[in-house]
Structures are given as C-alpha cells and as structure tokens.
C-alpha cells in the first residue's frame, strides 16, 4: 500500500500581512511549512529572510523548510541556521561546492535537499542522491506563481522514484509548482511523496483539502 501523500504549506501564498494568523490556521492540516527564500538575482523576486522565519518558529511545532533560491547559498546558511529551520533546499548550480554545503548542513543536524528546475534533467542531481534527504522537483519555472505545471513533471517524478527505489536511497520526492486539484492525483500516482501547496490550500477550505489528500 502506498503511503499517504504529505503536504508542505507554502507561505508565499498566505496573507503576507497576517502570516502569524495564517500559519496558526493551517497548522493542523499540513505536515511542514515551506519558506521560499529569494534574493532578486537567482530569481527575479525578493521574499522572506531569516528574521521572518525566526519570528514564526515559536508558533508551530511542524518542520520548517527553507528553499534557498539564491546565489551562493553557503553564505546564507549561517543566517538561517539559528532560525529554527529544519530542512535546507539548495540549487547545486548556485554553490561553489554543493556536496560540501550539503555535508555541512547534515553535520549540523539539518536535513538537506536538492532542487531540480523544471527544464533540468535528472542527471543534474545524480551525484547527490546517495547523501541527501529530499529532491524538490520544480513543476514550474522558479520564482513565479500561477502558471501551469510542466507536462514532463510526472514522468520525471516516476523516473526519479525508480532510481531511488532501485538503490534503496532514503529520499522523499517533493513537487513544488503547479499544484492544483487536477495535478495532485497524477503526481501521487507518479510517486510523489510530498506536495508543496500554496493556493491549493489557502484558496480553499483547509479541512476539505486535507481530507481530500488523505483519501487519494
């Protein structure tokens, strides 16, 4: 029997003027909280910083994951290390030494993951699969909201799960971008372990979405 799909709540889609209230409202209906950290260089937007993550940490007992959509993320890890973040997601092409960065995170008791952009092939991350905890498959172009999922995402997830299962890697596959009512069942069937839900959660009844996911 397949495991139930998990939901990480993307706070980018919350009411940014009421983040504390939004986080508290959805706490019981998600498995973790996802913070998109954007520097205005690697992606065109600016969003969230360490002080915001730290300020919200005391409100929730759920894991906090920070997706570092930034150049040179190794220079920012120390800034987020003391915020209470549990999971760090990096884009390997932005690091001077991605493997070293990941090992540093894990030696400090953090979980680490690699993000794979929608246009990138699985070979891009093959060297990291033996020592990471998560792969974030981007279903849309990074740093942009409200666009449709790339059609190749489902097959990418399926192939990635095949590699993970064949090698007995302890990796969870998470999909971020294009998460909609019609895409989630297909992602689940493809093997996704986690979805990063933003508008799907905040634009609907929280309990209804949670129940729907549990019954897939």
């Amino acid at each position: 029997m397949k495991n139930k799909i998990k939901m990480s709540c993307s706070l980018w889609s919350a009411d940014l003027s009421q983040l504390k209230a939004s986080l508290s409202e959805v706490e019981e209906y998600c498995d973790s909280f996802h913070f998109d950290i954007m520097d205005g260089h690697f992606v065109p937007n600016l969003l969230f910083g360490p002080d915001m993550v730290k300020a919200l940490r005391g409100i929730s007992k759920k894991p906090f994951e920070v997706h570092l959509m930034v150049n040179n993320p190794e220079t920012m890890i120390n800034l987020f290390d003391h915020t209470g973040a549990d999971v760090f997601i990096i884009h390997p092409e932005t690091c001077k030494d991605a493997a070293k960065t990941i090992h540093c995170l894990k030696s400090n008791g953090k979980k680490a993951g690699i993000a794979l952009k929608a246009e990138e092939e699985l070979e891009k991350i093959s060297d990291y699969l033996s020592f990471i905890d998560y792969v974030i498959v981007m279903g849309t172009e990074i740093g942009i909201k409200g666009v449709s999922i790339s059609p190749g995402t489902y097959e990418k997830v399926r192939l990635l799960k095949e590699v993970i299962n064949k090698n007995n890697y302890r990796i969870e596959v998470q999909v971020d971008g294009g998460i909609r009512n019609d895409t989630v069942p297909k992602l689940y069937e493809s093997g996704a372990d986690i979805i990063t839900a933003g508008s799907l959660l905040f634009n609907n009844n929280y309990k209804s979405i949670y129940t729907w996911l549990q019954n897939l």
Side-chain angles (χ1 to χ4, degrees):
M1 181 179 293
K2 293 176 66 175
N3 293 329
K4 298 294 184 183
I5 196 165
K6 299 177 184 177
M7 178 166 55
S8 185
C9 172
S10 174
L11 291 170
W12 189 13
S13 293
D15 182 347
L16 297 181
S17 69
Q18 299 289 333
L19 271 180
K20 180 179 179 180
S22 295
L23 188 148
S24 297
E25 287 174 0
V26 301
E27 166 86 5
E28 64 179 296
Y29 303 112
C30 66
D31 298 283
S32 58
F33 286 98
H34 186 91
F35 292 82
D36 290 306
I37 313 301
M38 305 182 191
D39 64 357
H41 298 285
F42 182 59
V43 291
N45 286 310
L46 286 165
L47 187 69
F48 294 137
D51 288 343
M52 178 64 72
V53 177
K54 185 176 181 180
L56 295 173
R57 176 69 277 184
I59 301 169
S60 173
K61 295 181 180 180
K62 299 290 175 70
F64 276 15
E65 55 192 39
V66 291
H67 180 181
L68 296 175
M69 290 186 272
V70 302
N71 288 327
N72 305 120
E74 60 271 20
T75 65
M76 292 193 178
I77 286 172
N78 285 339
L79 295 176
F80 286 93
D81 189 37
H82 303 294
T83 63
D86 306 283
V87 181
F88 286 72
I89 308 299
I90 64 171
H91 289 260
E93 68 271 26
T94 66
C95 298
K96 293 180 180 178
D97 188 333
K100 181 179 179 180
T101 300
I102 293 166
H103 287 305
C104 179
L105 285 165
K106 292 175 72 69
S107 67
N108 287 334
K110 307 296 183 180
K111 290 190 174 183
I114 290 290
L116 183 68
K117 291 191 290 188
E119 67 272 19
E120 293 175 332
E121 301 298 329
L122 293 179
E123 288 75 17
K124 178 73 176 290
I125 61 171
S126 59
D127 291 341
Y128 308 103
L129 294 178
S130 63
F131 54 90
I132 58 176
D133 303 294
Y134 299 91
V135 173
I136 309 296
V137 176
M138 301 304 300
T140 59
E141 186 178 350
I142 60 173
I144 299 175
K145 290 200 298 184
V147 294
S148 299
I149 196 168
S150 171
T153 304
Y154 309 110
E155 180 67 2
K156 188 180 291 186
V157 170
R158 188 187 68 78
L159 292 173
L160 178 57
K161 287 295 289 190
E162 283 187 0
V163 173
I164 290 170
N165 292 334
K166 180 180 179 180
N167 292 278
N168 293 314
Y169 293 139
R170 293 187 174 185
I171 297 174
E172 290 189 284
V173 176
Q174 183 168 341
V175 182
D176 184 359
I179 303 301
R180 306 286 186 268
N181 293 85
D182 62 321
T183 63
V184 172
K186 297 176 186 177
L187 291 169
Y188 179 56
E189 288 302 315
S190 298
D193 302 296
I194 309 168
I195 56 166
T196 307
S199 59
L200 176 69
L201 183 60
F202 286 107
N203 293 351
N204 293 285
N205 179 275
Y206 308 143
K207 186 176 182 179
S208 295
I209 290 296
Y210 176 80
T211 302
W212 172 66
L213 285 176
Q214 294 302 300
N215 290 319
L216 286 179

